[in-house]
Every structure is written in C-alpha cells, then in structure tokens.
Amino acid sequence: MECFEKGIGDSPIVFIHAPIIETIGPEVEILAQVNVAIVAAKEKHMLVTSFHSELTGDTRAHAYFLEMISQSKKEKL
C-alpha cells in the first residue's frame, strides 16, 4: 500500500491493526492520508502515525522525524 505523505512523497506503508485518526484539533497538520483516512499527523513537536514505516525499506518517514528533532533542538537554543 502506498500513501502520499506531505513533505516526504509517495511512501510504501504497512499497517498492523492500526487505527486511523478520526478527528483533529485546529493546530494539527495532516501529513498523510490513504484515501480519506488520516494516517499521519503533527502538532508542534509531536508526530503520530498509524503505520509502521520501519517494516519497509523506505527511510523517508524516519528522516522526517529526525529533522523534526533537529529543528526542535535549534529552536530551544
């Protein structure tokens, strides 16, 4: 299964009994959807996903998370 992830591109994704994100708050940025189901989102420094990107050979979701950490550290300095 593939989805479009904002800022990451088309990524293969694997779901294991994963829930979808049904509602979001006003500060939440939707990062990925499969059809209309939200499967990844971000609010401030928090990232949530419904899929297991570690089960694919694609590391873009991990790189995105590491970039979030790097940016957060820069903001605190």
Side-chain angles (χ1 to χ4, degrees), residues 13-54:
I13 56 176
V14 176
F15 292 96
I16 303 174
H17 304 290
I20 60 170
I21 301 165
E22 293 183 341
T23 60
I24 59 170
E27 301 295 317
V28 174
E29 179 182 0
I30 297 171
L31 298 177
Q33 292 180 272
V34 173
N35 299 322
V36 296
I38 302 169
V39 296
K42 175 176 86 167
E43 182 176 1
K44 299 179 183 168
H45 65 279
M46 296 174 282
L47 176 68
V48 295
T49 65
S50 295
F51 53 89
H52 292 269
S53 56
E54 74 277 6

